[in-house]
Amino acid sequence: MSEFSLENLSEKIHYGKTKDYFQEVLSSYHNGNYRSAVVMLWSVAVCDIVYKLGELVDLYEDTVAKSILDELTTLQKGDSKSSLWEVKLIDDTRAKTNLLDNSEYENLRYLQKQRHLSAHPILDSDKQLHTPNKETVRALIRNTLEDLLIKPPFHTKKIIDELVKNIAEAAPALNTRQKVKKYLESRYLSKLKPEAELSIYRSLWKFVFKLDNEDCTKNRDIHLQTLEVIGNRNAETILNLIRGDKDYYSNVSLMPLILDYLVFYLSKNPKIYALLNEDAKLKIQHNVENTKTSKICGWFVKENLERHYEDILSLIENDIDFNFRKGQLKFLLETPDTEEWQHLFCRILSRAC
């Protein structure tokens, strides 16, 4: 990783105070003062964890984060010169919160060991002070940035509340799927662990395809688009997730409008349909037979594309009030994306016009 990239990455540091302190790390590194860079980097990492725990307390009233901070305060008051609380901080943060995974924790422990060697007069066999090399220090800086400093203090149990509230407020500006994707990846997904994305996906599935309250009805479109973004980023993992929890994902609404959303989603993700329980499949099949939107989207429940083609023709010819709504013809062309369907679509288009 080049110095230029290292500096660019540092611009993404979540807290302003952390970013200011981190400039001293970069300055020491660029000037070849590698011991000083490592010592300061450890101090910055410790401060950043404290800030994140503090924000979890302030924003989410997180009792676990509060207990960690309260215990550290007690330790510091008992022995203000001891630095043992610093190691305990990352140990407790790893064990009791979702801020650090195993690899991130091990990277921080290695940083702490390098900091100990750099900060104390430990002489090697040649009576030389320990001096980490440039490559080691650069790796320590990169790992600390990517593992900790650029990430916001999301709590797995609270992130869905934060995300749902935020995308609802931003929905008027997120008027295309591409904008939704860019927004989510920039603000959230690029900073989350995979398991957190899957947790969000699981919650949104219920919001979009099961619940029928005022908030879910109002925000169903933006929730669906968020579900699509996360699903596309984790396609194979999502299939395993659903395979292991079929009852949850098969517990969908009976309401035709909500099932229209589900049929639309499954038309782009037919492998998911195959994993659902039979009761869910019966609901979906019934909706495909009885609502116009699902008739257009429900190719995946048919025995073949020819049958879907015939059903679309029947819809056009037998329903005098039928007209394709905006975007439906484009969707019909693209899903399913096969050469056979393109030929059949041309024949549909000639009848529709």
Side-chain angles (χ1 to χ4, degrees), residues 205-217:
W205 181 279
K206 185 176 182 179
F207 293 168
V208 178
F209 303 133
K210 175 61 179 177
L211 299 183
D212 182 33
N213 56 46
E214 183 178 353
D215 285 341
C216 287
T217 299

Side-chain angles (χ1 to χ4, degrees), residues 261-273:
Y261 278 85
L262 179 57
V263 172
F264 173 82
Y265 181 72
L266 294 177
S267 69
K268 298 181 178 181
N269 301 275
K271 290 181 180 179
I272 293 178
Y273 173 75

Side-chain angles (χ1 to χ4, degrees), residues 70-310:
D70 288 346
E71 187 172 356
L72 294 182
T73 299
T74 300
L75 288 175
Q76 288 176 313
K77 288 181 179 179
D79 187 354
S80 61
K81 296 181 180 180
S82 173
S83 62
L84 293 178
W85 68 271
E86 298 172 7
V87 176
K88 181 173 176 54
L89 172 66
I90 64 167
D91 286 347
D92 286 351
T93 300
R94 170 67 192 107
K96 300 177 183 180
T97 78
N98 294 292
L99 293 177
L100 298 172
D101 63 22
N102 286 332
S103 63
E104 294 162 350
Y105 168 77
E106 291 299 333
N107 285 338
L108 283 175
R109 285 306 306 261
Y110 182 66
L111 170 61
Q112 189 274 332
K113 292 176 182 177
Q114 289 296 314
R115 180 265 176 196
H116 179 74
L117 292 173
S118 298
H120 298 287
I122 301 174
L123 303 178
D124 62 19
S125 58
D126 296 324
K127 302 297 185 291
Q128 299 291 320
L129 287 174
H130 171 75
T131 303
N133 61 45
K134 181 177 182 180
E135 290 72 21
T136 296
V137 177
R138 186 169 62 184
L140 289 169
I141 294 173
R142 175 179 178 175
N143 288 339
T144 306
L145 281 167
E146 294 179 339
D147 292 349
L148 178 65
L149 304 184
I150 68 172
K151 294 182 177 180
F154 289 139
H155 190 297
T156 299
K157 294 180 180 178
K158 302 293 185 179
I159 178 57
I160 185 63
D161 297 332
E162 161 74 16
L163 184 146
V164 166
K165 177 182 177 182
N166 187 265
I167 60 174
E169 293 173 349
L174 305 178
N175 53 10
T176 69
R177 276 175 162 73
Q178 188 61 30
K179 288 181 181 179
V180 173
K181 181 177 184 293
K182 288 183 178 179
Y183 182 84
L184 288 169
E185 290 182 342
S186 174
R187 187 175 179 91
Y188 293 102
L189 303 183
S190 62
K191 304 166 186 175
L192 290 177
K193 302 171 188 176
E195 57 266 29
E197 288 193 44
L198 297 181
S199 177
I200 294 168
Y201 182 92
R202 190 177 191 276
S203 296
L204 286 173
W205 181 279
K206 185 176 182 179
F207 293 168
V208 178
F209 303 133
K210 175 61 179 177
L211 299 183
D212 182 33
N213 56 46
E214 183 178 353
D215 285 341
C216 287
T217 299
K218 178 182 178 182
N219 297 304
R220 206 174 304 277
D221 285 335
I222 192 68
H223 288 170
L224 174 64
Q225 292 175 49
T226 303
L227 193 78
E228 289 175 331
V229 171
I230 297 175
N232 291 338
R233 284 168 56 92
N234 303 275
E236 290 303 318
T237 308
I238 291 295
L239 294 178
N240 291 330
L241 182 73
I242 295 172
R243 191 177 290 113
D245 199 3
K246 287 186 178 183
D247 290 343
Y248 176 88
Y249 287 95
S250 296
N251 184 19
V252 295
S253 175
L254 277 168
M255 291 188 62
L257 179 59
I258 296 178
L259 284 171
D260 280 344
Y261 278 85
L262 179 57
V263 172
F264 173 82
Y265 181 72
L266 294 177
S267 69
K268 298 181 178 181
N269 301 275
K271 290 181 180 179
I272 293 178
Y273 173 75
L275 298 175
L276 300 178
N277 292 337
E278 287 302 315
D279 60 309
K281 291 179 179 178
L282 288 172
K283 294 178 186 178
I284 293 165
Q285 292 163 8
H286 180 78
N287 216 61
V288 170
E289 293 170 359
N290 290 280
T291 75
K292 294 177 183 178
T293 296
S294 287
K295 283 181 180 179
I296 292 170
C297 300
W299 67 272
F300 57 92
V301 306
K302 314 292 178 64
E303 58 266 29
N304 53 53
L305 290 176
E306 183 73 27
R307 177 57 189 276
H308 187 51
Y309 160 75
E310 292 170 355

